[in-house]
Amino acid sequence: MFRKFFTIFGTIGIFVGFVALVIAMGSLRPKPELQEPEIAPPSVFFTVAKSKSVTLDVSAQGEVRPRTDISLTAQVSGQIVSTSPEFVNGGAFEKGDTLIKIEDAPYRAAEAAARARLAQEEAEAALARRDYEELGLDDDPTDLTLRIPQLEQSRAEYRARKLDLDRTTIRAPFPGRVRERIVGVGQYVAPGAQLGRIFSTDVAEIRLPLTDNDLAKLGLPLAFTETEDNPGPAVYMTATLAGKTHNWVGRIARTDGAIDAATRQVIAIAVVDDPYGAGSDDGAPLAMGLFVEATITGKPYENAIVLPRSALYGRDRVYTIADDDTLAEHQVAIVSTDRDTITVASGLNEGDRVVTSPLRGAGDGDKVSPADPLDDIPGSRTSEEPAPSATASNITSGE
């Protein structure tokens, strides 16, 4: 019994002694030092700001239209006795050319009769004045005594008959072309009858829709009208005719004075002088109804900076990397944005390191780790680059 008791307590004692030994050894082990973890600054890409002269061109599309498109209308009745060989669909004519001739025999007779009545009335008026003077009366004679009303009536009738005679000849009011011929020789027409449709070819107009941002690029206000001292910007137009690309040069002559309520755009009217003659491209006229692609030369900005669009934070904020590799926030004046780039007019300096990658929570004054700079940034056309499709020397003078 004693042996059994001794064995149990001996085993317990050995276990307690082992545990005590382990605890004692653990207490003698040195304690680890607590250290704050070091957070590495975020790595960011950047580009070096380079200033240059930038021209912000604007692209638009539009249909070529004549400045004047009218219907020829008869003002007197009669039978058509002749038409000009150019009075056919597509025919060309000059200002003052005779297009249509209406039979004038009745109007010649009426004009001759009115002229005879006028001559007779002039003689009657002269005789009335002489008779009055021979009477030796002191009072001034009345108009009726001198037959002045009758004389004026005869003069008015003569002018009316002469005007009717002139209206038997339909002349072109401007240089142009025939859009549609409606009547022919032998046809009887009444006053108000349509004879055909013609349009002018001295000037072609192209209506180009522009946004508010486009107007800012061009430096154009609402209700702009060009003057000799303030000509409109140049417009370079292209279109394909018979499988060949042709180019024409014009200018912005004016803009609408109101914003379109449906599209929120403003229409700018480009003009090309003599589109069928001097304004044509190697004999290819800027034909009416043609749909053209237009590039409008924008306002030049000196010392502008073109950046990748990824450099923009919010509406007008960018970040630069200072000499001590900390971030600095800048508010910039943006004059143009597109899918890939932004163009900054002010707010940055030449040589600034502009951040072009996400900041991962970093902000103004935070430390960053600059990565390699980006090169070959796409941007707007510089002023040294040639304008598309033509040279500015081809721009015609103002109207």
Side-chain angles (χ1 to χ4, degrees):
M1 185 72 177
F2 178 76
R3 184 180 295 175
K4 185 177 181 181
F5 179 79
F6 180 78
T7 302
I8 293 173
F9 276 93
T11 303
I12 294 173
I14 293 171
F15 177 75
V16 172
F18 178 77
V19 172
L21 179 62
V22 171
I23 294 174
M25 292 178 65
S27 64
L28 295 175
R29 186 172 60 189
K31 295 181 179 180
E33 296 181 3
L34 297 178
Q35 295 181 348
E36 291 291 336
E38 294 184 3
I39 301 176
S43 179
V44 295
F45 290 97
F46 68 90
T47 184
V48 178
K50 299 177 181 178
S51 62
K52 58 184 178 181
S53 179
V54 175
T55 299
L56 303 176
D57 295 340
V58 173
S59 297
Q61 299 173 328
E63 180 185 354
V64 182
R65 300 179 180 180
R67 170 169 291 182
T68 307
D69 191 338
I70 65 172
S71 294
L72 289 177
T73 305
Q75 294 179 285
V76 294
S77 61
Q79 187 180 47
I80 295 176
V81 295
S82 66
T83 61
S84 168
E86 302 300 331
F87 188 62
V88 292
N89 291 358
F93 52 83
E94 296 297 327
K95 181 178 180 180
D97 287 354
T98 298
L99 300 179
I100 301 171
K101 181 66 177 176
I102 298 175
E103 184 180 12
D104 61 1
Y107 300 98
R108 287 186 179 278
E111 188 262 351
R115 185 171 61 249
R117 286 193 294 270
L118 174 59
Q120 181 180 355
E121 194 58 49
E122 287 175 342
E124 293 285 349
L127 181 60
R129 177 173 291 278
R130 187 170 62 253
D131 290 345
Y132 188 84
E133 291 174 351
E134 290 177 354
L135 292 175
L137 299 178
D138 295 333
D139 296 336
D140 292 335
T142 63
D143 290 347
L144 188 60
T145 301
L146 300 180
R147 301 184 61 85
I148 291 179
Q150 296 88 331
L151 179 60
E152 292 299 327
Q153 182 179 4
S154 296
R155 286 173 176 170
E157 184 180 358
Y158 173 70
R159 287 194 294 267
R161 301 291 78 79
K162 191 175 186 330
L163 182 60
D164 286 342
L165 179 60
D166 292 340
R167 286 172 174 173
T168 61
T169 302
I170 312 297
R171 295 182 176 86
F174 45 70
R177 287 181 176 258
V178 178
R179 186 182 294 276
E180 181 185 12
R181 170 179 173 167
I182 299 177
V183 298
V185 176
Q187 186 171 348
Y188 183 86
V189 295
Q194 288 195 1
L195 310 176
R197 287 189 62 194
I198 60 174
F199 62 87
S200 63
T201 55
D202 53 346
V203 175
E205 295 188 342
I206 305 94
R207 296 174 60 84
L208 303 173
L210 302 177
T211 65
D212 183 68
N213 188 39
D214 293 335
L215 291 176
K217 290 181 181 180
L218 301 174
L220 290 178
L222 282 176
F224 165 80
T225 300
E226 71 168 357
T227 63
E228 184 176 350
D229 297 330
N230 184 28
V235 183
Y236 302 92
M237 287 157 280
T238 62
T240 301
L241 287 173
K244 182 181 178 182
T245 299
H246 295 276
N247 305 293
W248 301 273
V249 182
R251 67 191 185 279
I252 298 296
R254 62 188 186 278
T255 62
D256 281 352
I259 299 174
D260 188 282
T263 63
R264 310 309 302 169
Q265 293 180 319
V266 176
I267 300 298
I269 293 88
V271 298
V272 175
D273 294 322
D274 196 9
Y276 285 78
S280 63
D281 177 50
D282 293 332
L286 184 61
M288 305 304 164
L290 186 66
F291 195 79
V292 297
E293 302 281 344
T295 300
I296 309 171
T297 302
K299 181 174 66 173
Y301 286 89
E302 301 295 334
N303 302 320
I305 296 175
V306 179
L307 300 172
R309 193 176 178 88
S310 59
L312 182 63
Y313 293 86
R315 295 184 58 184
D316 56 359
R317 305 284 171 169
V318 299
Y319 287 89
T320 61
I321 304 173
D323 293 339
D324 59 356
D325 292 343
T326 57
L327 292 176
E329 183 180 1
H330 298 265
Q331 183 178 10
V332 294
I334 300 174
V335 294
S336 174
T337 61
D338 56 33
R339 186 181 63 181
D340 300 319
T341 65
I342 62 173
T343 302
V344 177
S346 63
L348 293 174
N349 297 316
E350 176 92 12
D352 283 347
R353 295 187 295 174
V354 183
V355 176
T356 59
S357 61
L359 294 176
R360 301 184 180 89
D364 188 34
D366 292 341
K367 196 85 171 179
V368 293
S369 177
D372 293 334
L374 298 179
D375 296 322
D376 299 330
I377 301 171
S380 300
R381 177 174 64 83
T382 63
S383 60
E384 289 79 12
E385 296 174 356
S389 306
T391 61
S393 61
N394 291 330
I395 303 173
T396 54
S397 61
E399 291 180 294

